[in-house]
């Protein structure tokens, strides 16, 4: 289960540490050791389609989380907006060694069938790909809380039941000078990710 902010005892210090996990450019570690990666039976579109327009829903994805195994849901990236250096300066995060700027992705998560699922288990495979080919997973904030304009942190522990939807905003950090080129939804190591190109 991914949480946007994690409460840490004050004794550990008040230092804010931002960790932007990169999906394909590093060791392959995501936000979970096991997440809601789509399984073979639940995620294949019948026509093999992998490219979508913003606002178009993914094929049903099947949860592999133990508590919601077999549940199906869709992810619909709706809007992508590049943030600014000023957003970064006002976020409350420490300065990065390499300058970065935020990218905001607004999505709709829809629970299709099966056991209730937490929002944090439905959006944890989203990735932003830049125009330079870098891929970055969503920002995790440890020992602090980042604040972004018009992009409140989602309640990742909120559960959705079949037929329910939730609109969320997720922040990603990309290198300054690069632009978001696409939103991707990882389908594990053996399948091509689904992709929603971003028109700049």
């Amino acid at each position: 289960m991914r949480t946007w902010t994690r409460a840490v005892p004050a004794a550990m210090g008040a230092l804010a540490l931002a960790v932007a996990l990169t999906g394909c450019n590093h060791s392959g570690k995501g936000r979970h050791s096991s997440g809601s990666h789509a399984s073979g039976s639940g995620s294949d579109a019948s026509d093999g389609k992998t490219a979508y327009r913003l606002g178009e829903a993914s094929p049903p994805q099947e949860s592999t989380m133990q508590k919601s195994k077999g549940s199906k849901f869709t992810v619909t990236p709706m809007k992508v907006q590049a943030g600014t250096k000023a957003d970064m300066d006002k976020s409350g995060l420490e300065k990065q060694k390499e300058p970065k700027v935020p990218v905001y992705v607004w999505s709709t998560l829809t629970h299709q069938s099966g056991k209730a699922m937490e929002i944090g288990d439905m959006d944890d495979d989203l990735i932003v790909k830049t125009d330079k080919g870098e891929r970055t997973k969503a920002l995790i904030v440890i020992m602090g809380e980042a604040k972004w304009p018009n992009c409140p942190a989602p309640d990742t522990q909120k559960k959705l039941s079949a037929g329910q939807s939730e609109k969320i905003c997720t922040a990603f950090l990309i290198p300054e000078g690069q632009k978001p080129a696409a939103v991707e939804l990882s389908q594990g190591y053996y399948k091509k990710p689904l992709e929603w190109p971003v028109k700049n």
Side-chain angles (χ1 to χ4, degrees):
M1 175 184 66
R2 189 262 300 179
T3 56
W4 244 74
T5 58
R6 297 176 184 168
V8 179
M12 294 185 68
L15 180 66
L17 173 64
V19 182
L21 298 176
T22 303
C24 300
N25 294 340
H26 288 278
S27 61
K29 292 180 181 177
R31 288 182 285 178
H32 303 286
S33 56
S34 63
S36 55
H37 293 290
S39 71
S41 61
S43 63
D44 283 332
S46 57
D47 59 359
K49 180 178 178 180
T50 58
Y52 299 85
R53 297 183 312 274
L54 287 174
E56 191 174 2
S58 71
Q61 306 294 297
E62 188 171 318
S63 173
T64 58
M65 298 294 290
Q66 185 174 3
K67 58 192 172 184
S68 58
K69 190 171 178 63
S71 296
K72 293 185 179 181
F73 62 97
T74 58
V75 180
T76 310
M78 304 294 294
K79 176 184 172 185
V80 179
Q81 180 180 330
T84 65
K85 183 178 181 300
D87 290 348
M88 193 70 187
D89 292 341
K90 296 175 183 176
S91 69
L93 297 176
E94 284 188 337
K95 288 188 177 181
Q96 306 290 303
K97 290 183 180 179
E98 297 178 7
K100 295 184 184 296
V101 292
V103 171
Y104 311 117
V105 177
W106 286 269
S107 305
T108 300
L109 307 175
T110 303
H111 191 296
Q112 299 287 332
S113 63
K115 297 178 182 178
M117 287 189 70
E118 292 184 358
I119 286 174
D121 292 336
M122 299 171 79
D123 76 330
D124 68 338
D125 290 324
L126 283 174
I127 294 168
V128 164
K129 183 174 75 172
T130 74
D131 57 348
K132 302 296 183 183
E134 291 199 32
R135 290 176 168 86
T136 304
K137 294 205 80 171
L139 177 72
I140 296 177
V141 178
I142 302 173
M143 299 171 69
E145 183 171 343
K147 298 187 183 299
W148 309 106
N150 303 315
C151 186
D155 179 1
T156 57
Q157 296 182 347
K158 180 177 179 179
K159 289 186 176 182
L160 300 182
S161 299
Q164 292 184 317
S165 295
E166 185 83 2
K167 294 180 180 179
I168 65 167
C169 182
T170 311
F172 299 76
L173 293 184
I174 64 171
E176 190 175 345
Q178 296 188 27
K179 297 178 180 179
V183 176
E184 295 184 341
L185 183 66
S186 172
Q187 298 194 103
Y189 294 104
Y190 303 107
K191 291 184 181 179
K192 187 176 180 181
L194 305 180
E195 182 176 274
W196 289 260
V198 175
K199 295 181 180 179
N200 294 312

